[in-house]
Amino acid sequence: MRQLFISRTAPLRGSGVLDAPLAFVAVLIVAVGISLVVGYKDYRIGMIIAAGLIGLMITLICLFNTRLGFLITTVVGFFMFYIKRMSDDAIPMGVAVDVLTAVTFIGAYYRKTIHKQRIWQYMKNPISYMYIMYLGFLLIELFNPSMYSVSGWIFTVRKFINFVMIYFVGLFTFNSVKDVKDYLRLWLFLSVLCGAYGCFQEWFGLLGFEENWVISDPVRYRLYFQGGEIRKFSFLSDPTAYGILMACSIVFAIVLIMTTHKAKQRTWLIVGIIIMCLGMAYSGTRTAYFMIPGGLAIYFLMTITNRKTLLFMAGFFMFMVVLMFGPFSGNNTVNRIRTSFHLKDDESMNVRDENRHRIQPYIWRHPIGGGVATSGVLGIQYNPGHPLAGFPPDSGYLRTALETGWIGLIITMTLFFVTLLVGVKGYYRARTGEVKALYVAIVTGLYAYIIAHYAQVAIGQIPGAFFFYSAMAIIVKMKDFETPSHTNSDQVKTITT
C-alpha cells in the first residue's frame, strides 16, 4: 500500500506517457465512441459503463478500507433493487452486492493477517460456534438423497456464506463504541430515507419505470394491488421486505428514544419514527404490524423495573386501543392494520395454517428435510418434480423445516436463542449506560426480525440481512468495549444517534 501514497516531490512513473498528446487523443476517441454508442444504440449501455466504472472504484475501496467498504456495501444493499428497476434489470445488482461483500471480507482478512492477528480469536464465542455447526450441517445436506439438484445446494450455500461474511466483517470492523454508533446512525438514516420515499410513492404516485415494473408481471400486480391501491415498496424488493424493514427500524428507534437524554436527538428520532410508521402502513404488510408490539415486549421484560418503561408501555397500550377501536373506519390503511389482528377472520392465515398441518407428516418422515432449494419457486427452478417444488413456504421456519428437516430447524432455533441469550446476558453485565442502551436496542431489533420470520421469510433478505448479521457481530464484540482501553469507568454515557 505504501506505493499508493507517493511523495509530491517524487516524479510519478509513467507521467510522461499520460502527458503525451496521443494519450489525450486516445481518451477523446474513447469518450466520443461511448457517446455515439449510447446515443444511437441503447441508453442502458451508458448506464452499464458508468456502473462498471463506479463498481471498480467501490471494489478497490472495499478491498483496502474495510470499514468504509462495509458502509458502502450497506448503502448499495439499500438501493440495489431501485437501480435494477431503473435499468430494467440490465445491471446485476445482486451479484454486485455479493461481490462487494466478498471483497470486503477478503480485505478485512488480509489486513488482520498483515497485523499478525489470529483470526481464530473471533471464533471463540457461542454464536460463531453455532454458525460453524450450521455450515457443517449444510455440507451434510449435499448428500441428502431426497434432493435432485446440486446447483440448488450451491446457490443456498453461497447465500449462507455471504451472510456469514457479513457477520465476520462486522467482527473485524466494530472495534469501538464509535464504530457501532456510526454504523447504526447510517442504518437509521437509510431506513428513514426508505420510509420517506415510500411516502412519496403514496402521495405522488409511482414513477414511470416503477409502475411499468409492477404491471409487467400479472402475478406481481395482483399481489401489490390490494384494497383499491398499490402497496408501496420504496427502494426495496417488495412491499413485504419494505414493511418488515420499517417495523424493525421503528422498534430500534423507539428503544433509542427511551435510552437517550438529549432532547434534540429525541426530536429527530420521533420525526424519523413518524416517517417510518407511515411508510410501514403504506406497505400494507400485516407481519410488520405484529413486529412492533412483539419487539417492544422483550424491551419491556428487560427493563421492567424502569419507571419510564412502565409509563411508555401504558401509553403504547392506550394508543393501540384507540387505533383498534377508535371511531374512524374510512381509512383503508387503518382498516388493514385492524384486520391484521383479527386472526380468525384472516383467510390468508387460515390457508397457511392448513398448509402447515398438511405438510407436517412429510417433515416428521424426513429428519434432514427434502433438501435445500426444493420448496417454493426455488424448488421449481432447481428441483422440478420434487414433492416440495411449488409448495409455498410462507414462513421462514417452515421453509427451514421442509428443506433441512426438524434437525435443521432445531439448529436454527438454537442459533437464534443463543444470540438473544448472549445479548440479554451482555445487557445485564454491562457497566455503562451507553453499552446497556446498545445491547437492549439491538436485542429488540433482532427479536422483531425473529418474530417476523414466523410469518414470512424475513431473515436473509437484503438489506435487512446487513442489520441482522451485523447486529449479531455487535453483540459479540460489545463486551470488549468496557475494558479500560475502550471506556472510563467513571463516565456513564447515553447512546447518541
Side-chain angles (χ1 to χ4, degrees):
M1 290 297 295
R2 192 175 67 179
Q3 287 78 2
L4 296 176
F5 301 94
I6 303 175
S7 172
R8 295 182 180 178
T9 59
L12 183 63
R13 183 176 300 177
S15 59
V17 177
L18 295 176
D19 292 336
L22 289 178
F24 289 100
V25 173
V27 172
L28 180 61
I29 292 175
V30 172
V32 172
I34 293 175
S35 301
L36 291 175
V37 171
V38 172
Y40 290 96
K41 291 294 183 179
D42 194 339
Y43 74 96
R44 289 175 293 184
I45 296 177
M47 297 181 63
I48 294 174
I49 295 174
L53 295 175
I54 295 173
L56 177 61
M57 180 184 66
I58 294 176
T59 300
L60 293 176
I61 293 175
C62 292
L63 185 62
F64 296 110
N65 190 331
T66 303
R67 183 172 178 272
L68 180 58
F70 191 43
L71 298 178
I72 292 176
T73 305
T74 302
V75 173
V76 175
F78 265 85
F79 295 99
M80 58 177 287
F81 297 103
Y82 189 78
I83 297 174
K84 284 186 64 177
R85 287 191 287 266
M86 184 182 295
S87 63
D88 196 19
D89 292 334
I91 302 177
M93 291 302 299
V95 176
V97 172
D98 292 344
V99 170
L100 291 179
T101 303
V103 171
T104 305
F105 175 80
I106 293 172
Y109 181 84
Y110 179 70
R111 287 169 61 87
K112 295 297 180 182
T113 304
I114 289 178
H115 291 88
K116 298 181 179 180
Q117 295 183 6
R118 295 182 178 179
I119 305 300
W120 179 250
Q121 68 180 348
Y122 297 99
M123 304 289 292
K124 296 181 179 179
N125 62 82
I127 297 177
S128 297
Y129 294 153
M130 290 303 305
Y131 271 126
I132 294 174
M133 180 185 299
Y134 194 79
L135 180 59
F137 182 74
L138 285 180
L139 295 178
I140 295 175
E141 283 289 335
L142 175 62
F143 306 98
N144 190 328
S146 301
M147 185 174 63
Y148 297 166
S149 171
V150 177
S151 59
W153 178 87
I154 295 174
F155 171 81
T156 303
V157 171
R158 179 177 65 85
K159 297 301 294 183
F160 176 76
I161 292 177
N162 281 332
F163 298 148
V164 173
M165 284 193 293
I166 294 175
Y167 167 72
F168 278 103
V169 169
L171 291 179
F172 298 153
T173 304
F174 301 131
N175 296 313
S176 66
V177 173
K178 182 181 182 302
D179 292 338
V180 173
K181 293 196 303 185
D182 287 344
Y183 186 79
L184 296 179
R185 286 192 191 101
L186 175 66
W187 179 267
L188 278 178
F189 172 77
L190 293 173
S191 297
V192 174
L193 190 62
C194 278
Y197 191 75
C199 294
F200 171 83
Q201 290 177 325
E202 174 70 18
W203 298 338
F204 301 100
L206 302 178
L207 298 180
F209 68 91
E210 294 173 326
E211 188 173 358
N212 293 335
W213 178 76
V214 172
I215 64 178
S216 63
D217 188 342
V219 177
R220 181 189 299 138
Y221 181 77
R222 286 197 300 269
L223 291 175
Y224 288 16
F225 187 79
Q226 297 183 9
E229 58 185 15
I230 296 291
R231 298 170 58 192
K232 304 308 179 292
F233 45 86
S234 187
F235 303 122
L236 274 62
S237 60
D238 55 78
T240 301
Y242 175 47
I244 290 174
L245 176 70
M246 291 296 98
C248 173
S249 301
I250 289 168
V251 170
F252 186 77
I254 289 175
V255 176
L256 293 182
I257 289 179
M258 300 298 295
T259 55
T260 184
H261 298 292
K262 295 185 178 181
K264 184 177 180 180
Q265 294 169 359
R266 188 181 292 113
T267 300
W268 282 112
L269 284 170
I270 292 174
V271 172
I273 288 173
I274 293 174
I275 294 174
M276 290 188 291
C277 283
L278 290 174
M280 179 189 68
Y282 296 148
S283 74
T285 305
R286 289 187 171 94
T287 302
Y289 308 145
F290 285 97
M291 291 174 63
I292 295 178
L296 293 177
I298 195 170
Y299 168 74
F300 175 73
L301 294 175
M302 292 176 66
T303 61
I304 194 171
T305 58
N306 191 313
R307 179 173 174 271
K308 186 187 296 186
T309 299
L310 296 175
L311 292 175
F312 169 76
M313 296 307 296
F316 181 78
F317 177 77
M318 293 178 61
F319 168 78
M320 291 298 298
V321 170
V322 172
L323 181 64
M324 295 297 297
F325 305 104
F328 37 87
S329 57
N331 188 285
N332 290 333
T333 301
V334 174
N335 291 336
R336 186 174 180 85
I337 295 175
R338 289 177 173 179
T339 56
S340 300
F341 293 91
H342 299 160
L343 300 181
K344 294 183 179 179
D345 300 330
D346 191 341
E347 296 181 1
S348 176
M349 183 63 70
N350 293 334
V351 171
R352 294 181 184 185
D353 289 339
E354 291 178 3
N355 288 336
R356 290 168 184 166
H357 288 298
R358 178 166 57 88
I359 205 66
Q360 280 181 0
Y362 183 91
I363 297 174
W364 286 114
R365 291 195 305 267
H366 297 78
I368 61 173
V372 296
T374 54
S375 65
V377 178
L378 290 178
I380 298 175
Q381 179 179 355
Y382 291 106
N383 292 273
H386 194 280
L388 297 178
F391 182 88
D394 298 314
S395 166
Y397 300 118
L398 178 60
R399 182 174 189 170
T400 301
L402 290 173
E403 298 186 354
T404 61
W406 49 267
I407 295 178
L409 181 62
I410 291 175
I411 296 175
T412 301
M413 297 297 292
T414 304
L415 171 62
F416 295 159
F417 173 78
V418 168
T419 301
L420 295 176
L421 180 63
V422 173
V424 173
K425 290 176 65 176
Y427 168 77
Y428 286 110
R429 291 176 178 178
R431 299 187 299 274
T432 65
E434 185 176 42
V435 174
K436 275 182 172 290
L438 285 170
Y439 265 123
V440 70
I442 289 172
V443 168
T444 52
L446 283 174
Y447 188 65
Y449 257 110
I450 291 173
I451 291 176
H453 206 52
Y454 176 78
Q456 302 287 341
V457 184
I459 299 174
Q461 297 190 49
I462 301 294
F466 282 98
F467 174 82
F468 190 84
Y469 295 100
S470 297
M472 286 184 167
I474 293 172
I475 286 177
V476 172
K477 293 297 292 290
M478 199 87 70
K479 67 179 186 303
D480 300 329
F481 299 159
E482 291 190 306
T483 59
S485 61
H486 287 88
T487 186
N488 189 333
S489 60
D490 297 330
Q491 296 177 347
V492 178
K493 301 179 181 178
T494 306
I495 185 173
T496 58
T497 58

